[in-house]
Amino acid sequence: MAFADLGDVRLFYTDDDPSGTATPLLLVHGWGADGHEWSWHIPQLSADRRVIAPDLRGHGYSSAPASGFHPRDMTEDLLRLLDRLGIDEVIAIGHSMGAQIVSILAVEHPARVRALVCVEPGYGFDGAVAAGLPEMARRLEEGDTGAVAVWMDEWSYTPASPPMLRHWHARRLLAMRPHVLAESFAAMFTGPDQIGVRPATDAYLARRACPVLSLWSDPDRGAWEQELFKDPASAAIAWPGSGHRPHEERPAEFLLVVARWLAKLEAQDRRRGHQQ
């Protein structure tokens, strides 16, 4: 584990199995969380490949500058981190806001991303939920930001969610710098270049050319995203009954689904290699 000084920000990250030969994994956590989110997954994922798990700027052990918390800023941080580590291409796995960030990475720097796994992505909102996002952004900006964030996080859980997740994430949110939470949330959903709300989401995600595996708690949102995929290996999977953090609620099942999907991709790559 190490820190990377990237100029205006100092990122904390872990780097497991640097000698792994398969395409490295980049694990990107969600809003108000940090790389601990992947503690259930790194031991198995790093058994045969390199795994990079950063804390995004303003989150976890990384520094929190006065500004620069747009998902695009965080994407550029990750690009600089990959350059520093000498990693040319990754399979990027992102949860919630992290799914926005890895999607931006795939659109703006397609040569750096072999495939994406997007878990309960923080994009594609419409209807009443989308209409309520500006008010949530206002409350984060003007109210008790930590308390508002914890209140907002209540929608992330179902009766099947492990109770400890609720408390673990609440403590993280309460420890966050208020300006980080407020600025990053607004940038995801209310700014002029946001990609969290439709139709802006549709236009932007249609530019992803790589294979995408997305996991949703809502089958309707999964069906919507399925129509945006370009690569035939892409798939949207729904896990009804799960909350907003299915990878933390059901880590063993999540790891199995991801491993099987990656195995199919790598088998396709080998076949293409033999044909060339």
Side-chain angles (χ1 to χ4, degrees), residues 149-217:
V150 171
W151 168 76
M152 289 166 52
D153 195 52
E154 285 297 311
W155 77 275
S156 299
Y157 309 102
T158 74
S161 302
M164 59 81 58
L165 285 182
R166 186 188 306 268
H167 294 283
W168 193 29
H169 284 284
R171 287 176 59 83
R172 286 170 162 179
L173 289 166
L174 291 170
M176 288 283 295
R177 284 94 166 169
H179 74 288
V180 177
L181 289 173
E183 184 179 331
S184 57
F185 187 87
M188 282 193 285
F189 301 119
T190 66
D193 57 351
Q194 62 82 23
I195 63 168
V197 177
R198 301 178 65 186
T201 304
D202 302 65
Y204 195 83
L205 295 190
R207 296 169 57 191
R208 297 182 303 189
C210 67
V212 181
L213 173 67
S214 64
L215 293 91
W216 294 92
S217 61

Side-chain angles (χ1 to χ4, degrees), residues 41-107:
H41 316 98
I42 290 174
Q44 184 169 326
L45 292 173
S46 63
D48 60 354
R49 68 176 77 229
R50 189 174 188 178
V51 178
I52 309 298
D55 289 354
L56 297 168
R57 62 165 56 207
H59 293 72
Y61 300 115
S62 293
S63 65
S67 62
F69 299 101
H70 194 290
R72 294 177 186 272
D73 298 319
M74 299 180 190
T75 302
E76 291 304 311
D77 290 342
L78 297 182
L79 190 65
R80 288 186 289 168
L81 177 62
L82 294 178
D83 287 343
R84 174 167 296 200
L85 296 175
I87 298 175
D88 295 326
E89 183 182 57
V90 295
I91 295 166
I93 303 178
H95 167 247
S96 194
M97 181 178 73
Q100 268 206 33
I101 291 168
V102 298
S103 293
I104 293 169
L105 185 64
V107 169

Side-chain angles (χ1 to χ4, degrees), residues 12 47 69 104 107 109 113-115 126 128 150 155-156 200 235 239 244 273-274:
F12 174 77
F69 299 101
I104 293 169
V107 169
H109 304 280
V113 180
R114 170 66 185 93
D126 62 358
V150 171
W155 77 275
S156 299
W239 287 356
H244 184 53
H274 289 315

